[in-house]
Amino acid sequence: MTLFIMVVAPLAATAQPEIPVEQWKGKTILLIGAHPDDDAYSQGTLGLLQANGNEVFIGILTTGNVGTQDPKLSMVDLALIRKQEEQRALAAMGIPLDHYINLGYDDGMLEYENRKEVVAKLVRLIRRLRPDVIFAFDPGKGEQRWHKADHRAAAYLAADAARAAMWPLLFQGQITMEGLQAHEVREYMLYDSAEEDQNTWVDITGFKEKKITAMSQYVSQWSSGWYDYQGPQLTEEEANEVKEKVSKRIGYRDGIPVEGFRYYNGSPDNIGR
Ligand SMILES: [Zn+2]
């Protein structure tokens, strides 16, 4: 039995964080998402972690420069609008603005980009920030999780980059030329998981209002701005409607507001198992 614990236990993936997420301290957290609002799945948790003495970084792959039905907006206009919205959302969560990293890819096209190049950029980000925990779209546990195109790409790109970051001979130039070191991330909080795959629910009671405020900043996505963008300010009436709409996206368990994740602890090779 002792031998079993000593030999097998360190290899086994745990399905729950040993320390509840609400008590994490001193960790570096990196969220990888496709669009400048994909952190909305986790904004209560991210706000909580930042407030509790962790360092939260938001790494977004695309500028979000396509997500509109307003014919007046160009891709350049929208990229700027979405950057400003994301900055306002970060401010609402108490996350420093320089913790936002955007890799600048075009919205809607992530699956068609050069995968090796995108993974190299994510590997560089992981080796530079050296996170303890990665938040990412869940690629699926034992199945392929259905996501819309950029989210599907982001799920696999994040998992592939996390795997590659730990091998010093992969993207070796980052180590020999840029002074970075290989880095293995062992903890994952996978968001937008299938409900049956979720195993960890973070109590966001103290951060629910901040999450609502953060989500309400995406005026180009969640208001009449989707069809007819008139700037970040909404009428009081519409601002209240947006707040109500985003509030409905908050999940509850036993009356407690939560965010659900598939937590995974182990080798990045096995994220999907
Ligand atoms: Zn998205």
Side-chain angles (χ1 to χ4, degrees):
M1 184 63 189
T2 312
L3 189 69
F4 171 83
I5 290 168
M6 284 170 62
V7 175
V8 179
L11 301 175
T14 49
Q16 292 278 323
E18 253 174 63
I19 300 169
V21 177
E22 294 86 345
Q23 294 169 28
W24 286 359
K25 278 186 180 36
K27 287 182 189 276
T28 300
I29 315 280
L30 171 62
L31 178 134
I32 297 173
H35 307 116
D37 66 355
D38 287 344
D39 45 323
Y41 292 96
S42 332
Q43 279 171 341
T45 304
L46 298 169
L48 176 150
L49 288 169
Q50 182 70 32
N52 285 354
N54 305 277
E55 290 255 52
V56 175
F57 293 87
I58 309 289
I60 298 295
L61 286 152
T62 80
T63 60
N65 55 358
V66 169
T68 187
Q69 289 293 326
D70 181 348
K72 298 188 302 304
L73 293 180
S74 71
M75 290 170 84
V76 174
D77 295 334
L78 191 57
L80 180 61
I81 289 165
R82 299 202 64 183
K83 179 182 177 185
Q84 290 166 344
E85 289 175 353
E86 182 60 20
Q87 287 173 334
R88 289 190 194 99
L90 292 186
M93 290 185 284
I95 296 173
L97 296 193
D98 62 356
H99 285 201
Y100 175 52
I101 302 106
N102 191 295
L103 294 185
Y105 288 99
D106 279 335
D107 190 353
M109 301 301 279
L110 208 43
E111 285 193 298
Y112 315 111
E113 301 292 350
N114 181 316
R115 285 183 60 80
K116 187 176 171 186
E117 181 199 280
V118 185
V119 169
K121 287 184 182 176
L122 285 175
V123 168
R124 181 179 287 112
L125 187 61
I126 291 167
R127 287 176 174 169
R128 187 160 66 78
L129 297 176
R130 307 184 69 75
D132 302 292
V133 188
I134 284 181
F135 280 60
F137 277 109
D138 190 353
K141 178 180 162 63
E143 83 285 346
Q144 179 159 301
R145 169 93 176 109
W146 188 89
H147 290 291
K148 70 176 177 179
D150 281 343
H151 293 185
R152 186 164 62 233
Y156 288 108
L157 289 163
D160 290 347
R163 179 188 56 83
M166 67 180 277
W167 299 103
L169 297 179
L170 278 178
F171 303 109
Q172 191 183 12
Q174 295 178 2
I175 291 166
T176 56
M177 303 293 287
E178 299 176 29
L180 297 171
Q181 295 294 322
H183 180 66
E184 183 179 9
V185 181
R186 300 284 299 186
E187 287 190 283
Y188 297 84
M189 291 280 279
L190 300 164
Y191 58 81
D192 201 15
S193 292
E195 215 154 285
E196 61 273 22
D197 290 342
Q198 292 179 7
N199 57 21
T200 299
W201 293 270
V202 180
D203 177 350
I204 59 161
T205 302
F207 293 83
K208 188 179 115 177
E209 288 309 314
K210 283 189 172 169
K211 180 179 168 86
I212 292 169
T213 306
M215 289 175 81
S216 301
Q217 304 310 311
Y218 302 115
V219 168
S220 72
Q221 306 299 299
W222 292 90
S223 75
S224 59
W226 177 251
Y227 298 102
D228 181 15
Y229 184 77
Q230 298 288 339
Q233 291 300 328
L234 296 174
T235 62
E236 198 183 328
E237 189 189 357
E238 195 181 3
N240 287 332
E241 278 169 25
V242 169
K243 276 197 169 185
E244 206 169 303
K245 199 194 302 184
V246 300
S247 301
K248 288 198 178 118
R249 293 178 67 101
I250 292 180
Y252 289 83
R253 275 169 72 89
D254 304 326
I256 294 169
V258 292
E259 286 171 343
F261 299 89
R262 178 163 76 86
Y263 172 81
Y264 167 79
N265 184 338
S267 163
D269 273 347
N270 297 329
I271 287 171
R273 289 194 196 157

